[in-house]
Amino acid sequence: MRTFFLSLLLLTGAAAQAQTPPSSNQITSYEGLHKAAHEGDVDAIRTLVAAGADPDSRDGSGRTPAHIAAFASNDDSLRALAAAGSDMNALENREYDVLTIAAVADDPEMVSLALELGNQPDLITSPYDGTALIAAAHLGHVDVVHRLIAGGAPLDHVNNLGWTALIEAVVLGDGGPNHIETVRALVEAGADIFIGDKDGVTPLQHAEARGYSEIAAIIRAM
């Protein structure tokens, strides 16, 4: 019962805790590196940094130019900012990093690039003390999940709700093809199927309770 209410809390309160991309008004007001990062203007990024601009400057929501590049899916901007010394592991005010922003956006190329540029796959992010992998598993972003696993993301991190990536894929998933494949990827990579939630309910028990027969079969096969 407790887990059920936690699920409702997450689903109904997600808007209050979710990532918040820059608003149209914020984008219009951006100058300097934030504007260049959003627009993908690599020459401007290099010129501004050479003139002394701080590559980790923050907007009113704590977003660095690297966060803006991630929200805008501008790979070239992110590369230029990393070359200029931007902190790839910086957290904005809602505690998200470039990697988790890309994971939530289902942007596999940005995920791979962030990892390549030094964004740590085990960074604790979000108000739930989660990881990029937990966020991707929750949303059923299969390609992102595969890339994060290959990049060394911790499979069994437990967030402050008591959930692993595997539990989130079941509890917050819809039991459809994407979440089935997410569970398969996690299990085949070695995720611990016996870690339960705060009430001791395992991923298999959650899957069975929801009638997710294919997911339950994948877990049972391990």
Side-chain angles (χ1 to χ4, degrees):
M1 184 62 69
R2 178 182 176 185
T3 301
F4 171 76
F5 284 118
L6 279 172
S7 299
L8 285 180
L9 176 64
L10 275 184
L11 293 171
T12 58
Q17 298 292 345
Q19 293 176 12
T20 304
S23 68
S24 57
N25 287 339
Q26 285 178 311
I27 291 170
T28 300
S29 70
Y30 280 154
E31 298 177 347
L33 285 175
H34 284 80
K35 179 179 180 179
H38 177 76
E39 295 178 349
D41 191 339
V42 172
D43 288 339
I45 290 172
R46 291 171 179 159
T47 299
L48 287 163
V49 171
D54 180 2
D56 290 321
S57 58
R58 304 261 179 174
D59 70 6
S61 298
R63 305 184 195 96
T64 68
H67 294 130
I68 301 305
F71 277 120
S73 192
N74 277 328
D75 292 7
D76 289 341
S77 290
L78 192 66
R79 285 192 188 92
L81 288 163
S86 184
D87 181 3
M88 291 295 106
N89 295 291
L91 301 179
E92 43 87 89
N93 284 358
R94 291 186 180 271
E95 301 180 69
Y96 290 102
D97 62 337
V98 167
L99 189 60
T100 310
I101 290 168
V104 169
D106 200 9
D107 189 344
E109 289 74 23
M110 179 67 78
V111 164
S112 292
L113 178 60
L115 290 168
E116 175 189 329
L117 295 175
N119 204 154
Q120 298 170 8
D122 60 349
L123 202 64
I124 306 304
T125 66
S126 87
Y128 303 110
D129 293 336
T131 62
L133 181 60
I134 289 179
H138 164 190
L139 296 166
H141 293 165
V142 182
D143 193 357
V144 169
V145 167
H146 279 291
R147 293 185 191 218
L148 288 169
I149 291 171
L155 298 175
D156 298 320
H157 175 79
V158 179
N159 64 18
N160 61 21
L161 296 171
W163 293 348
T164 62
L166 182 55
I167 289 177
E168 286 225 2
V170 178
V171 171
L172 298 181
D174 60 9
N178 287 339
H179 285 98
I180 290 170
E181 291 309 311
T182 293
V183 168
R184 191 188 313 278
L186 290 167
V187 170
E188 289 182 351
D192 190 335
I193 64 174
F194 299 108
I195 297 176
D197 61 19
K198 288 182 178 179
D199 298 317
V201 183
T202 66
L204 177 57
Q205 290 169 323
H206 278 297
E208 291 174 335
R210 287 163 174 74
Y212 296 163
S213 57
E214 289 185 65
I215 288 176
I218 292 168
I219 297 172
R220 281 196 211 96
M222 298 307 293

Coordinates of all heavy atoms in Angstrom, one line a residue, residues 135-171:
A135 N 16.5 7.5 -14.3 CA 15.6 8.4 -15.1 C 15.2 7.7 -16.4 O 14.0 7.7 -16.8 CB 16.2 9.7 -15.3
A136 N 16.2 7.2 -17.1 CA 16.0 6.6 -18.4 C 15.1 5.3 -18.3 O 14.3 5.1 -19.1 CB 17.3 6.3 -19.1
A137 N 15.4 4.5 -17.2 CA 14.6 3.3 -17.0 C 13.2 3.6 -16.7 O 12.3 2.9 -17.2 CB 15.3 2.5 -15.9
H138 N 12.9 4.6 -15.9 CA 11.6 5.0 -15.6 C 10.8 5.4 -16.8 O 9.7 4.9 -17.0 CB 11.7 6.3 -14.7 CG 10.5 7.1 -14.5 ND1 10.5 8.4 -14.0 CD2 9.2 7.0 -14.9 CE1 9.3 8.9 -14.0 NE2 8.5 8.1 -14.6
L139 N 11.5 6.0 -17.8 CA 10.8 6.5 -19.0 C 10.8 5.5 -20.2 O 10.2 5.7 -21.2 CB 11.4 7.8 -19.5 CG 11.2 9.0 -18.5 CD1 12.2 10.1 -18.9 CD2 9.8 9.4 -18.5
G140 N 11.6 4.4 -20.0 CA 11.6 3.3 -21.0 C 12.4 3.8 -22.2 O 12.1 3.4 -23.3
H141 N 13.5 4.6 -22.0 CA 14.3 5.0 -23.1 C 15.4 4.0 -23.4 O 16.5 4.1 -22.8 CB 14.9 6.4 -22.8 CG 13.8 7.5 -22.7 ND1 14.1 8.7 -22.2 CD2 12.6 7.5 -23.2 CE1 13.0 9.5 -22.3 NE2 12.1 8.8 -22.9
V142 N 15.1 3.0 -24.2 CA 15.9 1.8 -24.3 C 17.3 2.1 -24.8 O 18.3 1.6 -24.2 CB 15.2 0.8 -25.2 CG1 16.0 -0.5 -25.3 CG2 13.8 0.5 -24.7
D143 N 17.5 2.9 -25.9 CA 18.8 3.1 -26.4 C 19.6 3.9 -25.4 O 20.8 3.6 -25.2 CB 18.7 4.0 -27.7 CG 20.0 4.0 -28.5 OD1 21.0 3.5 -28.0 OD2 20.0 4.6 -29.6
V144 N 19.0 4.8 -24.7 CA 19.8 5.6 -23.6 C 20.2 4.6 -22.5 O 21.3 4.7 -22.0 CB 18.9 6.7 -23.1 CG1 19.5 7.3 -21.8 CG2 18.7 7.8 -24.1
V145 N 19.3 3.7 -22.1 CA 19.6 2.7 -21.1 C 20.8 1.9 -21.5 O 21.8 1.7 -20.7 CB 18.4 1.8 -20.8 CG1 18.8 0.6 -19.9 CG2 17.3 2.6 -20.0
H146 N 20.8 1.4 -22.7 CA 22.0 0.6 -23.2 C 23.3 1.4 -23.2 O 24.3 0.9 -22.8 CB 21.7 0.1 -24.7 CG 20.8 -1.1 -24.7 ND1 21.2 -2.3 -24.3 CD2 19.5 -1.2 -25.2 CE1 20.3 -3.2 -24.5 NE2 19.2 -2.6 -25.1
R147 N 23.2 2.7 -23.6 CA 24.4 3.5 -23.6 C 24.9 3.8 -22.2 O 26.1 3.8 -22.0 CB 24.2 4.8 -24.4 CG 23.9 4.5 -25.9 CD 23.8 5.8 -26.7 NE 23.3 5.5 -28.1 CZ 23.7 6.1 -29.1 NH1 24.6 7.1 -29.1 NH2 23.2 5.8 -30.3
L148 N 24.0 4.0 -21.3 CA 24.4 4.3 -19.9 C 25.0 3.1 -19.3 O 26.0 3.2 -18.6 CB 23.2 4.8 -19.1 CG 22.8 6.2 -19.4 CD1 21.4 6.5 -18.8 CD2 23.8 7.2 -19.0
I149 N 24.4 1.9 -19.6 CA 25.0 0.7 -19.0 C 26.4 0.5 -19.6 O 27.4 0.2 -18.8 CB 24.1 -0.5 -19.4 CG1 22.8 -0.4 -18.6 CG2 24.8 -1.8 -19.1 CD1 21.8 -1.5 -19.0
A150 N 26.6 0.7 -20.9 CA 27.9 0.5 -21.5 C 28.9 1.5 -21.0 O 30.1 1.2 -20.9 CB 27.8 0.6 -23.0
G151 N 28.4 2.7 -20.6 CA 29.2 3.7 -20.0 C 29.6 3.6 -18.6 O 30.3 4.4 -18.0
G152 N 29.1 2.5 -17.9 CA 29.4 2.2 -16.6 C 28.5 2.8 -15.5 O 28.8 2.9 -14.3
A153 N 27.3 3.1 -15.9 CA 26.3 3.6 -14.9 C 26.0 2.5 -13.9 O 25.9 1.3 -14.2 CB 25.0 3.9 -15.6
P154 N 25.9 2.9 -12.6 CA 25.6 1.9 -11.6 C 24.2 1.2 -11.7 O 23.2 1.9 -11.8 CB 25.7 2.7 -10.3 CG 25.4 4.1 -10.7 CD 26.0 4.2 -12.1
L155 N 24.2 -0.1 -11.8 CA 22.9 -0.8 -12.0 C 22.0 -0.8 -10.8 O 20.8 -0.8 -11.0 CB 23.2 -2.2 -12.4 CG 24.0 -2.4 -13.7 CD1 24.4 -3.9 -13.9 CD2 23.3 -1.8 -14.9
D156 N 22.6 -0.8 -9.6 CA 21.8 -1.0 -8.4 C 21.7 0.1 -7.5 O 21.4 0.0 -6.3 CB 22.3 -2.3 -7.7 CG 22.3 -3.5 -8.6 OD1 21.2 -3.7 -9.3 OD2 23.2 -4.3 -8.5
H157 N 21.9 1.3 -8.0 CA 21.8 2.5 -7.1 C 20.3 2.6 -6.6 O 19.4 2.4 -7.4 CB 22.2 3.8 -7.8 CG 21.9 5.0 -7.0 ND1 22.8 5.5 -6.0 CD2 20.9 5.9 -7.0 CE1 22.3 6.6 -5.5 NE2 21.1 6.9 -6.1
V158 N 20.2 2.9 -5.3 CA 18.8 3.0 -4.7 C 18.6 4.5 -4.4 O 19.4 5.1 -3.7 CB 18.7 2.2 -3.4 CG1 17.3 2.3 -2.8 CG2 19.0 0.7 -3.7
N159 N 17.5 5.0 -5.0 CA 17.2 6.5 -4.8 C 16.5 6.7 -3.4 O 16.3 5.7 -2.7 CB 16.4 7.1 -5.9 CG 15.0 6.4 -6.1 OD1 14.5 5.8 -5.2 ND2 14.4 6.6 -7.3
N160 N 16.1 7.9 -3.1 CA 15.6 8.1 -1.8 C 14.1 7.7 -1.6 O 13.5 7.8 -0.6 CB 15.7 9.6 -1.4 CG 15.0 10.6 -2.3 OD1 14.1 10.2 -3.1 ND2 15.5 11.8 -2.3
L161 N 13.6 7.1 -2.7 CA 12.3 6.5 -2.6 C 12.4 5.0 -2.3 O 11.4 4.2 -2.2 CB 11.5 6.7 -3.9 CG 11.1 8.1 -4.2 CD1 10.5 8.2 -5.6 CD2 10.1 8.6 -3.2
G162 N 13.7 4.5 -2.4 CA 14.0 3.1 -2.2 C 13.9 2.3 -3.4 O 13.7 1.1 -3.4
W163 N 14.0 2.9 -4.6 CA 13.9 2.3 -5.9 C 15.2 2.2 -6.7 O 15.9 3.2 -6.7 CB 12.8 2.9 -6.7 CG 11.4 2.8 -6.1 CD1 11.0 2.0 -5.1 CD2 10.2 3.5 -6.5 NE1 9.7 2.2 -4.9 CE2 9.2 3.1 -5.7 CE3 10.0 4.5 -7.5 CZ2 7.9 3.6 -5.8 CZ3 8.7 5.0 -7.6 CH2 7.7 4.6 -6.8
T164 N 15.4 1.1 -7.3 CA 16.5 1.0 -8.3 C 15.9 1.3 -9.7 O 14.7 1.5 -9.8 CB 17.0 -0.5 -8.3 OG1 16.0 -1.4 -8.7 CG2 17.6 -0.9 -6.9
A165 N 16.8 1.3 -10.6 CA 16.4 1.5 -12.0 C 15.4 0.4 -12.4 O 14.4 0.6 -13.1 CB 17.6 1.5 -13.0
L166 N 15.7 -0.9 -12.0 CA 14.9 -2.0 -12.4 C 13.5 -1.8 -11.7 O 12.5 -2.1 -12.4 CB 15.5 -3.3 -11.9 CG 14.8 -4.6 -12.2 CD1 14.5 -4.7 -13.7 CD2 15.6 -5.8 -11.7
I167 N 13.4 -1.4 -10.5 CA 12.1 -1.2 -9.9 C 11.3 -0.1 -10.6 O 10.1 -0.2 -10.8 CB 12.3 -1.0 -8.4 CG1 12.7 -2.2 -7.6 CG2 10.9 -0.5 -7.8 CD1 13.0 -2.0 -6.1
E168 N 12.0 1.0 -10.9 CA 11.3 2.1 -11.5 C 10.8 1.7 -12.9 O 9.7 2.1 -13.3 CB 12.3 3.3 -11.7 CG 12.5 4.0 -10.4 CD 12.4 5.5 -10.5 OE1 12.1 6.0 -11.6 OE2 12.6 6.2 -9.4
A169 N 11.6 0.9 -13.6 CA 11.1 0.4 -15.0 C 9.8 -0.4 -14.9 O 9.0 -0.4 -15.8 CB 12.2 -0.4 -15.6
V170 N 9.6 -1.0 -13.7 CA 8.4 -1.8 -13.5 C 7.3 -0.9 -12.9 O 6.2 -0.9 -13.4 CB 8.7 -3.0 -12.6 CG1 7.4 -3.8 -12.3 CG2 9.7 -3.9 -13.2
V171 N 7.6 -0.3 -11.8 CA 6.6 0.5 -11.0 C 6.1 1.7 -11.8 O 4.9 2.0 -11.8 CB 7.2 0.9 -9.7 CG1 6.3 1.9 -9.0 CG2 7.5 -0.3 -8.8

